[in-house]
Amino acid sequence: MEFDHTVATTKTNQYSSPEINHDGPINLYRTPPDGHLTLEECQDLFRQRLEALHVFEQYPDFLSKDNKDLVKSGIEQIKSHVFKTNCIKSNQYDKERQRLDHSSHMLVRMYCIRDPNLWGWFKSTERRLLHYRLLFDMILTADQLGLILQSFRFKFERVPFAEVPNLKKEHVIGWNLRDKGQEEVFKVHFTNALKFISKRSVALKEGYAFLTRSEIIILVCDIFEKHLESELNYGSQHLNLSLPQVQHLLDSLEVVYLDYDEKVTEYKRKLKQNDPNGYHNTAAIDVDDIEDLSKNHFPPCMRYLYESLKEDNHLKHMGRVLFASFLRSGGVPMDSAIDKIFRPEFTKKITNEKFKLNYEYNFRHIYGKEGHKKALSCFSCDKMINDNPPGPTDKHGCPFKHFDSTRVRAMMANHGLKANDIESIMMRVDGKEYKSACSLYFEFQRGYPPSEPIRIPVQFYYQSRILANMPPPPLENQGGEENHGLAITEGNLKEATTVPSYADEDSEMGDDF
Ligand code: SF4
């Protein structure tokens, strides 16, 4: 198959700049590729590209340390069936590999053009591939980055080196210590830097934002993604799908795509089967059922916070932080937490304006929408037990640690535990084994022990929800001392209740709030 340049040269994409430098250090795929390819080679390159983009689809947060290594090995492993080289691995000096990389991109783009459902996937995964290359494969100089921006007619100014120390003195730059390219500063109008401004990762001066290397790379990727969007639009208007050669090519690519898609679907299905987080979606805290859930599934610490919120129509700072981060990890969206749980209670004593002014920001902060933009995940039991001991009017903390023995006994009796069971739990409390006491509380209340020792309140919640869906324990094992050691068979429980992590990618465990 020969790529026909005439279409591209006679019809100009209205979105593209005519003054394009096609020979930059990194290919932004702004012109058709050169050369001849057989259909089999097209299929081979198409498959390689799909596999590469799938790697980035699997690891959207490819910059995190662990994912970076997985992406690297994923890219390394992409097999070439016809061509001996893996064209995705970039090499500025290997012109043939560059040509094949170019062709593979264009083949996937061409395939996607006719199905707008694929556009979002194509743009975002290609963007990640470019970002990965710019960060780890191909270190471009500031001049080269500037040339790319120029070629897209993007307005910017390079700040002369001599002025950089002044900007540092004025604290306009230099406080982002992760950015090693602090000498390479670009000045752009603030409207072109809104995404950095909203994250507070850049400073402004006289209507301009000063971007250092890592931000410029993100900007280049943004522009590249927009460019892809315009190319897809353009292609959808001008690609002549009725041409037999085009149809023939797309049909043969479709065979590869369907095969790839089937494998990816199967892979995702297996992943979901093995991912207890899939269960999390169905067991998330439903705010409309929170009354029942708090009584039947919340750990004592969170049940107490919720009951205190209803009783006092208020929670003090640490109580708010601990309860809201628990709700967040339990799957409650921010708006539901604010509008259905906190606001209705707080506004029984204060006005809505006062709630907005004094508290709403705090909840938004916990959910990662304000301040340092890192959402908080549920705090661990160790933190609850050891840090921030509650004062006399505080409601936070671990009841097994922070309540006196009369109060903790009363709490357990109120939660329906039998006197004998309470005494067994108290033996652990007296031995300062607070988490172990909590695990036993779980077991006496539910008839099963947790499949793994309690270490995070939200883990208590999910395990409790899972057990609620289990068949009742066998009759011969019910009651008496034997019940405490009730064995749950590997097959039925282990898989369902082993929950690897309660912190998601964008959150932290409340360490630095
Ligand atoms: Fe809450 Fe953990 Fe204490 Fe249990 S051990 S009450 S889950 S803090």
Side-chain angles (χ1 to χ4, degrees):
M1 163 117 352
E2 184 171 1
F3 286 103
D4 183 356
H5 291 206
T6 52
V7 176
T9 49
T10 51
K11 291 179 186 166
T12 307
N13 179 349
Q14 57 176 312
Y15 306 100
S16 286
S17 158
E19 306 142 19
I20 295 168
N21 172 10
H22 299 302
D23 297 314
I26 192 156
N27 196 336
L28 298 171
Y29 316 115
R30 301 171 70 178
T31 56
D34 289 321
H36 298 257
L37 292 169
T38 65
L39 262 188
E40 193 187 10
E41 287 168 342
C42 285
Q43 287 182 312
D44 191 40
L45 291 174
F46 182 67
R47 180 179 288 281
Q48 282 186 31
R49 195 84 184 186
L50 290 180
E51 287 175 0
L53 298 184
H54 179 56
V55 172
F56 287 94
E57 189 184 3
Q58 273 177 281
Y59 304 106
D61 182 18
F62 63 91
L63 298 180
S64 81
K65 192 178 166 304
D66 291 344
N67 286 352
K68 193 170 77 186
D69 293 342
L70 290 168
V71 166
K72 189 165 187 280
S73 85
I75 296 283
E76 293 287 334
Q77 281 167 23
I78 290 170
K79 296 274 184 302
S80 182
H81 307 286
V82 178
F83 289 101
K84 299 293 175 223
T85 60
N86 172 351
C87 70
I88 310 301
K89 290 193 285 179
S90 45
N91 181 340
Q92 323 190 34
Y93 307 105
D94 187 337
K95 292 287 172 210
E96 178 60 2
R97 184 180 285 180
Q98 283 180 22
R99 184 180 76 84
L100 299 180
D101 168 54
H102 193 162
S103 301
S104 75
H105 168 92
M106 285 299 180
L107 285 164
V108 178
R109 187 196 290 186
M110 192 173 171
Y111 183 80
C112 290
I113 279 173
R114 64 176 179 173
D115 183 357
N117 290 327
L118 295 174
W119 291 12
W121 163 82
F122 176 66
K123 285 184 298 169
S124 66
T125 49
E126 279 287 346
R127 179 192 201 284
R128 285 177 208 152
L129 174 58
L130 176 68
H131 198 177
Y132 176 84
R133 285 175 167 170
L134 287 174
L135 285 178
F136 306 120
D137 261 4
M138 204 169 275
I139 310 299
L140 300 192
T141 63
D143 285 342
Q144 288 170 324
L145 290 169
L147 276 176
I148 293 177
L149 294 176
Q150 235 170 21
S151 74
F152 280 104
R153 291 177 171 169
F154 183 84
K155 285 196 181 141
F156 69 96
E157 277 177 46
R158 278 289 298 282
V159 176
F161 283 132
E163 288 178 25
V164 171
N166 287 339
L167 292 176
K168 281 188 179 166
K169 265 189 217 153
E170 293 171 53
H171 300 295
V172 175
I173 59 163
W175 34 269
N176 183 357
L177 296 177
R178 281 174 300 186
D179 200 334
K180 298 208 169 65
Q182 286 179 6
E183 308 309 317
E184 301 161 351
V185 182
F186 290 65
K187 180 177 163 184
V188 304
H189 193 258
F190 79 96
T191 49
N192 289 317
L194 293 178
K195 86 189 278 182
F196 307 113
I197 295 166
S198 67
K199 284 189 196 155
R200 301 184 190 195
S201 63
V202 299
L204 288 179
K205 189 183 168 195
E206 293 161 2
Y208 287 91
F210 292 83
L211 311 185
T212 46
R213 184 179 185 79
S214 58
E215 286 121 13
I216 283 297
I217 286 178
I218 292 172
L219 206 59
V220 166
C221 294
D222 286 348
I223 292 171
F224 173 68
E225 192 175 345
K226 273 196 200 130
H227 162 70
L228 287 184
E229 167 93 38
S230 69
E231 289 292 319
L232 288 165
N233 268 316
Y234 181 80
S236 68
Q237 290 161 21
H238 294 93
L239 181 66
N240 188 349
L241 293 170
S242 59
L243 276 179
Q245 304 96 306
V246 174
Q247 271 207 348
H248 191 37
L249 174 62
L250 289 178
D251 287 349
S252 53
L253 297 184
E254 177 134 43
V255 174
V256 178
Y257 183 81
L258 291 177
D259 179 50
Y260 154 85
D261 193 42
E262 197 181 309
K263 283 186 181 139
V264 170
T265 308
E266 177 64 10
Y267 172 81
K268 284 182 182 165
R269 196 181 59 76
K270 282 192 179 151
L271 209 62
K272 204 168 174 186
Q273 263 179 358
N274 296 328
D275 177 13
N277 287 323
Y279 181 79
H280 281 191
N281 295 332
T282 56
I285 299 168
D286 179 345
V287 289
D288 295 328
D289 280 342
I290 194 166
E291 285 303 323
D292 278 352
L293 292 174
S294 66
K295 287 193 184 85
N296 297 319
H297 300 292
F298 280 17
C301 51
M302 295 301 156
R303 181 170 170 178
Y304 182 58
L305 280 172
Y306 180 58
E307 287 169 354
S308 303
L309 170 68
K310 286 189 301 171
E311 199 175 310
D312 304 340
N313 310 125
H314 185 74
L315 276 181
K316 289 173 82 175
H317 178 70
M318 268 321 287
R320 294 197 297 272
V321 171
L322 292 170
F323 191 48
S325 58
F326 165 78
L327 292 174
R328 183 184 167 275
S329 290
V332 179
M334 183 184 76
D335 290 344
S336 301
I338 294 177
D339 293 334
K340 293 191 167 179
I341 297 176
F342 293 109
R343 193 194 308 278
E345 291 302 334
F346 275 64
T347 53
K348 285 177 186 161
K349 278 200 176 154
I350 58 171
T351 62
N352 192 32
E353 284 64 40
K354 206 163 179 189
F355 174 80
K356 270 187 153 176
L357 202 66
N358 295 343
Y359 300 105
E360 195 166 321
Y361 178 89
N362 188 205
F363 294 118
R364 293 178 58 79
H365 197 291
I366 293 164
Y367 268 78
K369 302 291 178 205
E370 304 288 351
H372 63 2
K373 306 266 177 185
K374 274 273 179 194
L376 297 187
S377 291
C378 186
F379 283 49
S380 67
C381 295
D382 284 336
K383 273 184 180 294
M384 304 267 292
I385 290 167
N386 299 318
D387 297 353
N388 301 299
T393 58
D394 285 325
K395 309 294 180 182
H396 69 269
C398 172
F400 296 110
K401 161 81 189 278
H402 296 115
F403 284 10
D404 63 31
S405 92
T406 314
R407 210 167 146 212
V408 76
R409 280 172 204 274
M411 175 195 81
M412 288 192 278
N414 186 32
H415 291 182
L417 268 72
K418 294 186 201 129
N420 281 353
D421 295 343
I422 292 174
E423 290 317 310
S424 303
I425 294 171
M426 287 310 291
M427 283 170 69
R428 301 206 181 169
V429 172
D430 293 342
K432 300 192 189 319
E433 299 168 40
Y434 306 114
K435 285 182 288 178
S436 163
C438 192
S439 295
L440 205 53
Y441 165 97
F442 182 106
E443 181 181 337
F444 288 143
Q445 260 206 335
R446 288 152 184 79
Y448 283 115
S451 69
E452 52 182 18
I454 298 298
R455 56 191 169 82
I456 311 175
V458 76
Q459 169 215 12
F460 182 114
Y461 166 76
Y462 279 121
Q463 292 208 28
S464 178
R465 290 294 306 275
I466 289 163
L467 282 175
N469 291 331
M470 297 280 296
L475 278 177
E476 61 271 24
N477 279 339
Q478 285 183 356
E481 283 297 308
E482 272 73 36
N483 196 22
H484 302 170
L486 187 66
I488 296 169
T489 60
E490 246 179 71
N492 65 6
L493 187 62
K494 182 76 180 143
E495 183 186 339
T497 56
T498 304
V499 182
S501 168
Y502 295 90
D504 56 57
E505 290 157 358
D506 294 329
S507 70
E508 53 195 30
M509 297 284 267
D511 282 331
D512 62 351
F513 187 80

